[in-house]
């Protein structure tokens, strides 16, 4: 019996924008099923460009992306977008429907699922993020932290193979940050988390990958990477004042 | 800094659970549209016109009473009519034809009738629309339009307007606070040099947000068509209740035409 395909397999991915700016220069990344991986790197490293390749929003450069064995190309686009759940940074971009429930139902309905199944998935996804009972509320009545958790639910309802989070802790207050961490830790799903928040990466992701200048420059246990001041300094990564990754439990 | 409950668009909505509130939004839309069509189709120069318009007014006030919409709320809703009123007031002075004396001033008779008709028709239609807006949440209105087969693209545009009015309004508010915090006062013509670029940057921000929302939609399998939820059937009784308003108006018009 062969091992299951990795949740995410990126091979030699290179990409230049139409204006000639090249953002990726051959990225290799393999994320096994059930792993939680942090994607670190300074602004302009190519993190967002990489993320937009994972579900085929950007295509056409060199190299390949496969999600659970399925190559990302024009024919598979709809299935790839079901398998890759991207949670964007600003929940107001993610939550565009009039109510929370309709927003969580948006993905499943696009998949053409029957209505009872859609309703069951909406209820389950909202419960998973601790927002059960909020289905009929308009997004602008929720706190920022609640909106961020609902944004996670909008992709959970599609039963993704891998959850991709863009700066999940940004703009959250400490309580909202902890609540989101509890939700993410409870999810039985592969996670790729793009973040500048190094303590958050250490808390949630056993493994980290550093992207800089459009290539992967480091890949290893998060604690080891964060304990390497030379590596951090070289790639404009900084720990918060007083934070020592070796003493964190 | 948070918008009021329901947001800037929801301000017209009056939370309650009257029989009118409980009607499905598309029924109310049909009722208001039907009512307005009957009102507009009523001639202004027949002998029975004034009786007919009085009948319409009674009908729309009854609907407002059933919906629990008070006179103050109706009067505030009428404010939108002010430009029409100004136009209507001009008509008796600029129209041609025989003149009559009103309070010592010679005005055009046909202009006076046209102005009266315009005012009556506009006021009645606006009153009906105020009752609709006060009893229906903005997003329910959009659902009603969708149910009435308004083209999907227009429905989506309206839906996004409802969703993002407060987000964009919030940005506008933050920009204003940031301006004023640095001593800006927009009270003279020179302020336009500041306000113009501010409007421009708000447009650019909204445009960029539109692009990000589109990305988020694509990422969840959007293919150009909004996936609709299930449409619940509406009992015949509800149709009857909703259509009381336009059918009543039609009965008034018919009796005017037949008896007058």
């Amino acid at each position: 019996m062969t091992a299951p395909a990795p949740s995410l397999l990126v091979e030699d991915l290179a990409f230049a924008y139409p204006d000639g700016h090249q953002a990726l220069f051959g990225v290799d990344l393999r994320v096994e099923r059930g792993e939680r991986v942090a994607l670190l790197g300074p602004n302009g490293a190519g993190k967002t460009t990489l993320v937009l390749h994972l579900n085929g929003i950007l295509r056409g450069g060199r190299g390949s992306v496969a999600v659970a064995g399925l190559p990302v190309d024009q024919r598979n686009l709809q299935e790839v977008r079901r398998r890759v759940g991207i949670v964007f940074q600003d929940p107001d971009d993610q939550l565009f429907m009039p109510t929370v429930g309709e927003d969580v139902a948006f993905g499943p309905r696009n998949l053409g699922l029957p209505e009872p199944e859609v309703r069951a998935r909406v209820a389950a996804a909202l419960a998973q993020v601790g927002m059960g009972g909020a289905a009929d509320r308009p997004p602008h009545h929720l706190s920022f932290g609640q909106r961020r958790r609902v944004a996670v639910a909008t992709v959970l309802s599609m039963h993704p193979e891998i959850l991709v989070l863009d700066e999940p802790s940004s703009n959250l207050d400490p309580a909202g940050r902890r609540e989101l961490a509890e939700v993410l830790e409870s999810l039985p799903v592969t996670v790729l988390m793009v973040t500048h928040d190094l303590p958050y990466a250490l808390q949630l992701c056993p493994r980290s990958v550093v992207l800089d200048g459009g290539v992967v420059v480091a890949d290893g246990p998060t604690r080891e990477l964060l304990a390497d001041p030379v590596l951090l300094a070289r790639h404009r990564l900084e720990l918060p004042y007083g934070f020592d990754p070796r003493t964190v439990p | 800094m948070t918008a009021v409950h329901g947001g800037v668009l929801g301000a017209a909505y009056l939370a309650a659970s009257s029989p009118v509130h409980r009607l499905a939004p598309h029924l109310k839309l049909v009722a208001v549209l039907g009512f307005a069509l009957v009102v507009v189709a009523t001639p202004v120069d027949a002998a029975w016109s004034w009786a007919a318009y009085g009948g319409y007014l009674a009908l729309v006030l009854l609907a407002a009473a059933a919906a629990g919409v008070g006179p103050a709320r109706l009067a505030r809703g009428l404010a939108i009519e002010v430009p029409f009123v100004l136009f209507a007031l001009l008509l008796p002075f600029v129209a041609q034809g025989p003149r009559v004396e009103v309070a010592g001033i010679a005005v055009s008779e046909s202009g006076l009738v046209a102005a009266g008709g315009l005012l009556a028709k506009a006021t009645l239609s606006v009153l009906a629309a105020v009752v609709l807006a006060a009893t229906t949440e903005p997003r329910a209105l959009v659902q009603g339009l969708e149910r009435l087969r308004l083209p999907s693209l227009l429905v989506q545009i309206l839906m996004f307007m409802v969703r993002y009015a407060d987000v964009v309004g919030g940005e506008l508010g933050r920009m204003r606070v940031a301006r004023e915090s640095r001593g800006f006062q927009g009270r003279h013509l020179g302020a336009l040099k500041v306000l113009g670029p501010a409007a421009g940057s708000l447009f650019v921000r909204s445009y960029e947000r539109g692009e990000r929302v589109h990305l988020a939609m694509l990422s969840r399998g959007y293919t150009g068509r909004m996936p609709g939820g299930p449409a619940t059937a509406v009992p015949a009784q509800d149709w009857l209740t909703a259509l009381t308003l336009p059918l009543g108006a039609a009965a008034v018009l018919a009796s005017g035409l037949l008896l007058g």
Side-chain angles (χ1 to χ4, degrees):
Chain A
M1 198 182 139
T2 52
S7 279
L8 183 67
L9 186 60
V10 179
E11 287 179 315
D12 194 28
L13 188 68
F15 180 78
Y17 282 96
D19 66 3
H21 168 71
Q22 183 149 4
L24 300 178
F25 291 86
V27 171
D28 292 287
L29 178 62
R30 183 189 176 99
V31 180
E32 298 298 339
R33 176 165 291 188
E35 260 192 303
R36 279 203 300 270
V37 179
L39 183 61
L40 313 176
N43 288 334
K47 301 190 296 288
T48 303
T49 308
L50 175 58
V51 164
L52 292 179
H53 273 88
L54 303 185
N55 71 348
I57 297 269
L58 293 179
R59 291 191 305 276
R62 192 183 70 205
S64 69
V65 178
V67 180
L70 186 73
V72 176
D73 65 25
Q74 185 65 42
R75 280 169 303 135
N76 301 330
L77 225 44
Q78 206 63 353
E79 172 61 13
V80 161
R81 287 178 185 172
R82 181 194 73 73
R83 292 188 186 190
V84 180
I86 300 187
V87 180
F88 291 93
Q89 188 173 355
D90 185 346
D92 277 330
D93 296 340
Q94 183 102 13
L95 307 176
F96 43 79
M97 295 292 277
T99 66
V100 165
E102 283 171 83
D103 216 299
V104 181
F106 179 84
R109 284 189 180 138
N110 278 327
L111 301 177
L113 294 173
E115 197 55 28
E117 168 75 8
V118 171
R119 274 199 297 273
R121 284 193 179 198
V122 169
L126 285 175
Q128 273 180 297
V129 299
M131 289 298 291
D136 291 324
R137 299 176 63 184
H140 67 257
H141 286 183
L142 305 177
S143 75
F144 193 85
Q146 289 174 322
R147 272 181 280 166
R148 172 82 35 84
R149 280 186 281 143
V150 170
V152 173
T154 64
V155 299
L156 286 182
S157 62
M158 298 176 81
H159 292 180
E161 164 80 24
I162 179 167
L163 193 61
V164 180
L165 304 150
D166 190 3
E167 293 290 352
S169 62
S170 66
N171 293 333
L172 291 180
D173 58 19
R177 195 179 130 92
R178 173 187 49 75
E179 284 161 355
L180 183 68
E182 285 165 3
V183 165
L184 294 177
E185 274 185 320
S186 74
L187 297 176
V189 61
T190 312
V191 171
L192 181 67
M193 187 170 110
V194 176
T195 189
H196 289 296
D197 185 342
L198 301 182
Y200 216 49
L202 181 60
Q203 181 183 354
L204 288 170
C205 303
R207 176 183 159 206
S208 286
V209 173
V210 180
L211 193 70
D212 196 5
V215 290
V216 172
V217 293
D219 182 347
T222 306
R223 193 180 299 267
E224 282 177 25
L225 294 187
L226 297 192
D228 181 346
V230 180
L231 174 82
L232 296 186
R234 200 186 304 139
H235 301 293
R236 283 186 64 79
L237 298 172
E238 277 184 29
L239 293 165
Y241 177 74
F243 183 83
D244 184 350
R246 284 158 303 185
T247 59
V248 170
Chain B
M1 275 200 209
T2 335
V4 289
H5 186 83
V8 287
L9 286 177
Y13 179 70
L14 208 65
S17 71
S18 76
V20 184
H21 281 82
R22 284 194 298 272
L23 283 176
H26 65 292
L27 302 187
K28 287 186 270 190
L29 279 163
V30 169
V32 168
L33 186 64
F35 178 77
L37 286 177
V38 173
V39 168
V40 170
T42 305
V44 290
D45 45 8
W48 47 271
S49 294
W50 294 110
Y53 282 111
Y56 301 153
L57 183 63
L59 278 170
V60 79
L61 290 181
L62 270 177
V69 181
R73 180 74 191 74
L74 286 176
R76 253 187 298 138
L78 283 177
I80 200 171
E81 213 197 348
V82 168
F84 293 93
V85 175
L86 294 178
F87 177 66
L89 287 179
L90 273 179
L91 272 181
F93 298 99
V94 298
Q96 306 290 317
R99 302 260 145 181
V100 290
E101 289 260 316
V102 175
I105 306 167
V107 294
S108 159
E109 193 182 341
S110 63
L112 205 58
V113 171
L118 189 67
L119 270 184
K121 288 175 182 187
T123 306
L124 287 166
S125 305
V126 170
L127 284 177
V130 169
V131 175
L132 175 67
T135 59
T136 321
E137 282 185 278
R139 63 191 168 91
L141 273 179
V142 177
Q143 283 165 355
L145 288 169
E146 187 177 24
R147 194 89 192 261
L148 295 173
R149 305 287 163 84
L150 187 76
S152 159
L153 197 61
L154 292 178
V155 171
Q156 291 180 35
I157 291 172
L158 284 173
M159 197 189 78
F160 287 128
M161 187 186 79
V162 170
R163 169 65 182 89
Y164 287 104
D166 291 309
V167 176
V168 175
E171 269 174 29
L172 190 65
R174 287 193 295 276
M175 285 163 74
R176 185 178 58 76
V177 168
R179 271 199 309 272
E180 291 176 4
S181 303
R182 285 186 283 151
F184 174 78
Q185 287 179 322
R187 294 214 187 93
H188 49 93
L189 210 57
L192 285 177
K193 269 205 297 207
V194 176
L195 295 177
S201 87
L202 190 68
F203 174 79
V204 171
R205 282 196 205 183
S206 304
Y207 185 86
E208 287 173 346
R209 182 180 295 281
E211 288 188 324
R212 294 197 303 273
V213 171
H214 187 233
L215 275 186
M217 293 172 74
L218 288 179
S219 299
R220 286 195 276 150
Y222 177 72
T223 52
R225 207 185 55 80
M226 218 49 161
T232 45
V234 170
Q237 182 61 46
D238 280 11
W239 272 107
L240 271 182
T241 313
L243 293 182
T244 312
L245 182 67
L247 290 180
V252 170
L253 176 61
S255 45
L257 288 171
L258 292 174
L259 306 173

